């Protein structure tokens, strides 16, 4: 059995690491908007994703951020979660993916999740990449 992966061990450490990673990957403007929009209804969810997704999962050493971005693009396209896909196109660029690599993820997605999902993913990615690269 393999050793557990060490990382932030308390909720406060995960929250702090998660907020740092979230800002590095998604950008301050996005995170500031998300934080400003927190309500009593969404507060627990925002804390959860900061601690668990960003403070635990994205901290693990087993995959680098580029690979995590590729997986996130493929998964969100496969599930047709277009707002999340668009957000993670920007994150993928922040993590160093090229337009060609993002297109390859979409092509790979076409085989395993369907041509319509991949086609729509490319349509969502195109204007975002044009704006970021323009």
């Amino acid at each position: 059995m393999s050793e557990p992966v060490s990382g932030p061990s308390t909720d406060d450490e995960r929250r702090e690491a998660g907020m740092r990673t979230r800002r590095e990957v998604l950008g301050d403007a996005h995170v500031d908007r998300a934080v400003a929009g927190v309500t009593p209804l969404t507060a627990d969810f925002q804390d959860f994703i900061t601690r668990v997704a960003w403070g635990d999962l994205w901290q693990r050493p087993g995959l680098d951020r580029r690979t995590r971005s590729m997986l996130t693009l493929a998964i969100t396209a496969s599930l047709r979660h277009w707002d999340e896909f668009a957000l993670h196109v920007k994150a993928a660029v922040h993590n160093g993916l090229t337009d060609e690599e993002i297109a390859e993820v979409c092509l790979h997605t076409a085989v395993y999740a369907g041509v319509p999902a991949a086609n729509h993913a490319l349509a969502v990615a195109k204007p975002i990449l044009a704006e970021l690269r323009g």
Side-chain angles (χ1 to χ4, degrees), residues 15-128:
R15 189 175 296 107
E16 182 180 325
M19 189 56 75
R20 185 176 52 252
T21 301
R22 196 173 173 192
R23 287 184 178 284
E24 290 169 0
V25 172
L26 300 177
D28 287 331
H30 171 81
V31 176
D32 289 345
R33 280 190 306 274
V35 169
V38 170
T39 68
L41 179 68
T42 63
D44 287 343
F45 178 75
Q46 287 294 315
D47 182 62
F48 171 76
I49 62 172
T50 300
R51 283 181 299 104
V52 177
W54 297 105
D56 190 11
L57 184 66
W58 278 77
Q59 303 299 317
R60 296 177 60 82
L63 298 172
D64 62 17
R65 286 185 183 176
R66 288 174 44 82
T67 304
R68 289 187 191 284
S69 280
M70 287 185 223
L71 286 165
T72 303
L73 289 175
I75 293 165
T76 55
S78 297
L79 295 172
R80 295 164 169 80
H81 294 303
W82 302 120
D83 291 341
E84 196 76 9
F85 177 83
L87 172 67
H88 279 280
V89 168
K90 293 176 185 175
V93 170
H94 288 158
N95 285 333
L97 269 69
T98 66
D99 294 11
E100 293 77 16
E101 289 170 320
I102 292 169
E104 283 296 322
V105 169
C106 292
L107 185 60
H108 198 83
T109 300
V111 171
Y112 293 97
V115 170
N119 188 45
H120 192 77
L122 287 165
V124 170
K126 185 178 178 181
I128 294 167

